[in-house]
Amino acid sequence: MHRLAAIILKEFNQIKRDKRTLLLLIFFPAFLLLIFGYAIDFDVKNVEIGVLDLDNSKESREFIEKFTLYDHFILKYHLNTFKEIDYYLDSGLATLCIVIPEDFSDELKQGDNVSIQIIIDGTNSNVGMTVLGNLRAYITDYSNNLSANALKKVGIHKEPVPVELIPRVWYNQELKSAKFLIPGLIGFIMMIVCVITTALSIVREKERFTIEQISVSPIRPHELIIGKTFPYMIISLITMILIIILGIILFDVTIKGNLIYLFVTSLVFIIGALGLGMMISAITDSQQVAFMVSIIVTMLPSIILSGFIFPLNSMPKIIQFISYIVPLRYYLVILRSIILKGSGLISFWDQLIYLTIFSSIMIIVSSIKLKKIL
Amino acid sequence: MNNDISIYVEGLTKRFGDFTAVRDVSFEVKKGEIFGFLGANGAGKSTTIRMLIGILEPTSGYAIVGGYNIIENVEMVKQSIGYMSQRFSLYEDLTAKENLNFYGGIYGLDEKELKNRVSWAVEAADLSDKEDVLAGELAGGWKQRLALSCALLHKPKIVFLDEPTSGVDPISRRNFWNLIQSITDEGVTVFVTTHYLEEAEYCNSLAFIHNGEIITKGTPSALKKNVIKRKVFEIESQEPDKLIDCFKAEEFVDDISILGLKVHIIPNREDINKDYISGFLKNKSLEFKKIDEIEPSLEDVFIELIKLKRENV
């Protein structure tokens, strides 16, 4: 007990003295949160559109005006010639151009089918798809209203649409991507912080040869391992709480689920990440190399292969298969279940088992590896 | 085994692949003595120490350290020894006191004992006004004494000091040796490696290691008598350079070395004495203050040993 306490105390003293790292541990996550929270936004809003109204009638103006009632679109440019469409799309000033034909109002009055031309900048496929979807919905709505009115005129008061869609969005009602990203961000930041701090703290002892002095003492390997990782576990938990508080303040995140579940599952994940950090420290000899390896092992897979940003379901089978070795994948499902859905153990017990397996393997293998250098 | 023996080494060998770092090394160290383990860099000193302190397993042979076998009972060996490496192994970002608390703690000292031992260490190492100074900001001599105190906190029966005085100024070195002598007075055995051969004079017993093998061992005075059988003369002069030029041409002089204003010569004939040399110098009308027949230094012994070894090969 005395030996374990001595190591923990020493580790905290060193952390306390290393102000730069301490600040980094606190501000780096906050910084990432701001960057990811504000910059990564899959919501397509404020699409600037140009309109070439060849009809210039009461009906066409009404049609256009209705666009602006949606906050998806901003009517920015009134065009006069087809040439101008090329210019506005090429220069990126407008994402979308609408052409209303000369006979728009006449055809409508006669009850004929009217065609409207829409030209979308498809460079960003995501934005293009979303805009197209929004437009379809808007125009269907508009047409249905017209048909209903027309039917009313002839005395038929019937629902014009046989099948109607009544959408209810659960969990993230406003469909905000920031809310979806925050649980992932918590996992992502914890992964990086845990792995790097642990790896560096042990490699630093190797670099300065203090590890030799420790290995001459009668300290047991498990005491050293627990003593060295415990302080970083505490720091990681503080970091997590900090991110959550920032998420609540800045992005209206609410934790719908049980805080105890959140705490326990996070602990399992943190232990696994600390184990990974120890593993890196066992196989590297300098802080620089350990840092590089930690970044490569944590950053890329956690961003790309965990479902943090890109949905795993739409990836090729082989890549989905590789993603099973990325621990964040499991933790993410758990975090999203608890924070966004507020669901219980029933919805993530399998993920928790995988995560526990991962953490156990990490701790066992890294302990064996570290024992060899002690 | 004899109760007076603190370290007993029998046929200790360490091979790394094809390379034999330590070959069939045997010696014993008595309780409470300062044992000097001497040799050039790469001779096998550190490898031997690392085996004795339980962090490197020998290929063959064994050793009993403080009553415990280094192979079967590593934990007990570790608890009964202290170790100070040439790099001092202090946490430079911790204060002197925090270093002491940490090293005392990992040896399992309880709070009360730790407090006692830390205040002992602060006094012994003369650190009383430097307790709260970061170890990295201490000068070499202080660092060295702090490192030694860290190794002594748990009252080990034996301390291993690997090149403890490297990179430390001469006055600090003398203070350090005084400290070492005071701990042997309390019955602690000191096992020390050094390449400062004049420091080896502080040792009660010595062993020379060369290419992984022990080439000789014994007390400093016995080594001087047994290894160098010829006489050594010391001549003090204001013009040592002229003396050297002159001796170089003479067939009766075997070896010449110079230490400041003192010239050492080893003649190759038994019949040469002080009178012969002074007559020779007067004859050449060379100035000198005095001539003495002296005891050879350990440096002379070491150089002679290596020379003999080469001749044998």
Side-chain angles (χ1 to χ4, degrees):
Chain A
M1 242 1 249
H2 294 298
R3 292 188 290 233
L4 188 56
I7 294 184
I8 292 175
L9 182 67
K10 181 217 91 179
E11 214 60 39
F12 272 123
N13 275 331
Q14 285 187 301
I15 293 168
K16 186 180 75 189
R17 207 132 294 146
D18 190 0
K19 297 252 157 46
R20 215 172 37 179
T21 307
L22 194 60
L23 284 179
L24 198 71
L25 283 179
I26 294 167
F27 285 110
F28 178 64
F31 172 74
L32 278 184
L33 184 73
L34 292 179
I35 294 278
F36 278 84
Y38 284 117
I40 301 190
D41 195 345
F42 306 128
D43 304 346
V44 180
K45 277 182 290 193
N46 304 331
V47 172
E48 299 185 338
I49 60 177
V51 176
L52 177 57
D53 186 358
L54 297 172
D55 185 31
N56 215 355
S57 62
K58 185 176 141 260
E59 283 79 9
S60 69
R61 279 194 296 273
E62 246 175 43
F63 175 79
I64 295 162
E65 208 171 290
K66 281 203 173 155
F67 260 97
T68 49
L69 296 178
Y70 292 77
D71 67 346
H72 297 299
F73 302 110
I74 297 176
L75 181 59
K76 193 109 187 227
Y77 311 104
H78 289 278
L79 316 181
N80 297 313
T81 63
F82 279 99
K83 265 251 144 57
E84 282 180 309
I85 295 179
D86 285 359
Y87 168 72
Y88 281 104
L89 285 181
D90 281 354
S91 61
L93 290 170
T95 311
L96 171 74
C97 285
I98 301 172
V99 183
I100 299 174
E102 282 172 78
D103 49 2
F104 180 76
S105 52
D106 293 344
E107 304 261 316
L108 270 184
K109 279 173 199 155
Q110 285 164 27
D112 284 347
N113 276 349
V114 183
S115 302
I116 293 172
Q117 191 182 22
I118 288 165
I119 303 157
I120 298 176
D121 173 3
T123 324
N124 184 333
S125 54
N126 228 342
V127 173
M129 293 282 278
T130 314
V131 167
L132 194 60
N134 289 338
L135 268 175
R136 279 219 178 96
Y138 166 70
I139 289 175
T140 312
D141 211 30
Y142 182 83
S143 308
N144 288 343
N145 272 336
L146 283 181
S147 333
N149 288 340
L151 286 172
K152 261 183 214 162
K153 272 181 195 160
V154 291
I156 301 171
H157 293 271
K158 220 185 124 196
E159 275 302 309
V161 191
V163 181
E164 197 186 356
L165 182 74
I166 303 173
R168 291 278 182 279
V169 178
W170 280 19
Y171 312 129
N172 179 4
Q173 282 84 350
E174 307 97 70
L175 288 172
K176 279 194 181 154
S177 26
K179 280 203 176 173
F180 164 77
L181 280 174
I182 293 239
L185 203 51
I186 294 173
F188 174 67
I189 293 171
M190 303 260 278
M191 185 79 197
I192 295 177
V193 168
C194 289
V195 172
I196 293 178
T197 50
T198 324
L200 290 188
S201 93
I202 298 176
V203 172
R204 191 160 44 224
E205 303 239 3
K206 274 191 186 179
E207 236 177 33
R208 297 176 186 171
F209 300 105
T210 44
I211 196 92
E212 191 181 64
Q213 201 68 40
I214 292 177
S215 57
V216 176
S217 80
I219 202 146
R220 311 251 188 320
H222 72 264
E223 288 170 329
L224 180 66
I225 289 167
I226 296 172
K228 283 214 74 103
T229 49
F230 179 77
Y232 294 102
M233 199 164 84
I234 298 291
I235 287 182
S236 305
L237 281 173
I238 293 174
T239 305
M240 183 177 92
I241 293 168
L242 210 72
I243 304 171
I244 292 178
I245 292 175
L246 273 180
I248 292 172
I249 295 172
L250 297 176
F251 301 104
D252 296 329
V253 173
T254 42
I255 299 170
K256 296 186 176 153
N258 190 325
L259 283 179
I260 295 172
Y261 283 151
L262 182 65
F263 179 77
V264 172
T265 51
S266 298
L267 213 54
V268 175
F269 176 72
I270 288 174
I271 290 170
L274 294 176
L276 182 59
M278 286 196 293
M279 188 113 94
I280 292 170
S281 74
I283 56 171
T284 55
D285 283 317
S286 78
Q287 292 191 71
Q288 271 180 338
V289 176
F291 185 77
M292 290 298 292
V293 173
S294 305
I295 289 285
I296 292 167
V297 170
T298 55
M299 279 273 214
L300 272 182
S302 298
I303 291 181
I304 298 170
L305 296 176
S306 68
F308 169 31
I309 296 175
F310 311 105
L312 289 170
N313 290 338
S314 44
M315 289 181 186
K317 277 276 170 293
I318 176 84
I319 290 181
Q320 285 194 32
F321 189 71
I322 296 171
S323 78
Y324 283 107
I325 61 165
V326 181
L328 186 57
R329 183 201 154 112
Y330 309 114
Y331 184 48
L332 258 185
V333 176
I334 298 175
L335 278 177
R336 284 181 181 149
S337 301
I338 296 175
I339 296 179
L340 294 178
K341 300 187 183 171
S343 46
L345 207 53
I346 190 99
S347 65
F348 58 76
W349 62 273
D350 50 340
Q351 307 293 321
L352 187 57
I353 288 175
Y354 296 137
L355 197 59
T356 311
I357 293 171
F358 165 78
S359 296
S360 312
I361 291 174
M362 279 299 139
I363 287 292
I364 292 167
V365 174
S366 61
S367 300
I368 293 169
K369 287 230 165 237
L370 269 187
K371 248 180 215 176
K372 278 186 193 150
I373 63 164
L374 279 180
Chain B
M1 200 173 70
N2 194 326
N3 261 345
D4 292 343
I5 300 298
S6 185
I7 302 172
Y8 179 82
V9 182
E10 174 83 57
L12 207 59
T13 299
K14 181 69 195 180
R15 270 192 285 275
F16 298 104
D18 290 339
F19 172 68
T20 307
V22 173
R23 188 195 307 272
D24 197 21
V25 163
S26 303
F27 59 85
E28 50 193 54
V29 179
K30 286 201 199 82
K31 251 180 205 158
E33 74 174 358
I34 304 177
F35 180 83
F37 199 53
L38 311 178
N41 288 336
K45 284 183 310 215
S46 287
T47 309
T48 308
I49 277 205
R50 293 169 70 81
M51 287 191 278
L52 295 181
I53 62 177
I55 56 175
L56 189 67
E57 213 172 299
T59 311
S60 63
Y62 72 99
I64 307 290
V65 173
Y68 302 102
N69 189 309
I70 57 158
I71 298 159
E72 292 153 10
N73 218 337
V74 187
E75 293 304 312
M76 289 311 294
V77 169
K78 285 180 174 179
Q79 187 68 53
S80 43
I81 61 162
Y83 169 66
M84 173 185 161
S85 81
Q86 54 186 316
R87 302 159 187 128
F88 300 162
S89 300
L90 296 165
Y91 290 92
E92 307 226 316
D93 49 349
L94 296 183
T95 65
K97 196 161 192 178
E98 284 165 346
N99 269 288
L100 287 167
N101 282 332
F102 172 67
Y103 281 119
I106 59 171
Y107 279 93
L109 300 187
D110 64 39
E111 215 169 310
K112 195 173 151 231
E113 200 174 1
L114 186 64
K115 218 174 156 188
N116 281 338
R117 290 302 288 167
V118 168
S119 50
W120 165 85
V122 167
E123 184 145 338
D126 202 8
L127 285 163
S128 45
D129 55 339
K130 296 198 161 51
E131 283 174 49
D132 298 320
V133 177
L134 294 184
E137 288 166 8
L138 290 173
W142 303 98
K143 260 191 207 174
Q144 173 201 42
R145 287 200 296 279
L146 175 59
L148 179 64
S149 331
C150 286
L152 293 172
L153 281 173
H154 60 291
K155 295 187 179 166
K157 290 184 273 182
I158 307 162
V159 269
F160 288 86
L161 311 173
D162 192 2
E163 304 270 353
T165 52
S166 58
V168 172
D169 65 88
I171 293 170
S172 297
R173 262 156 61 189
R174 176 163 304 170
N175 289 341
F176 183 75
W177 279 101
N178 288 339
L179 188 56
I180 289 179
Q181 249 150 2
S182 77
I183 58 175
T184 56
D185 292 344
E186 293 164 28
V188 176
T189 309
V190 176
F191 183 107
V192 59
T193 70
T194 180
H195 59 246
Y196 293 111
L197 287 161
E198 72 270 21
E199 287 190 347
E201 306 274 1
Y202 291 106
C203 300
N204 305 112
S205 178
L206 295 172
F208 279 97
I209 186 166
H210 182 67
N211 284 340
E213 286 176 81
I214 293 214
I215 48 177
T216 193
K217 49 195 172 187
T219 64
S221 55
L223 284 176
K224 287 171 191 170
K225 267 189 210 117
N226 301 340
V227 175
I228 301 192
K229 302 216 164 58
R230 290 164 299 173
K231 296 170 188 167
V232 180
F233 293 96
E234 184 177 86
I235 305 145
E236 223 179 301
S237 163
Q238 290 301 318
E239 299 167 313
D241 299 341
K242 280 188 185 167
L243 260 68
I244 285 177
D245 289 341
C246 178
F247 283 129
K248 265 184 190 161
E250 288 307 316
E251 51 84 32
F252 76 90
V253 180
D254 211 15
D255 245 328
I256 318 163
S257 59
I258 178 166
L259 284 161
L261 293 178
K262 291 165 184 166
V263 176
H264 285 194
I265 61 164
I266 302 178
N268 58 4
R269 292 201 322 259
E270 274 296 310
D271 60 317
I272 287 167
N273 56 20
K274 271 161 73 170
D275 294 340
Y276 183 92
I277 297 171
S278 82
F280 168 80
L281 288 174
K282 276 177 188 150
N283 210 8
K284 298 256 177 191
S285 62
L286 282 164
E287 183 275 345
F288 67 92
K289 238 181 211 157
K290 60 175 183 180
I291 301 175
D292 280 314
E293 185 177 343
I294 56 154
E295 198 183 43
S297 70
L298 281 169
E299 189 130 9
D300 298 326
V301 173
F302 188 60
I303 289 163
E304 186 72 12
L305 278 170
I306 302 294
K307 215 156 117 187
L308 288 173
K309 191 83 192 166
R310 288 217 182 100
E311 279 161 16
N312 287 346
V313 172

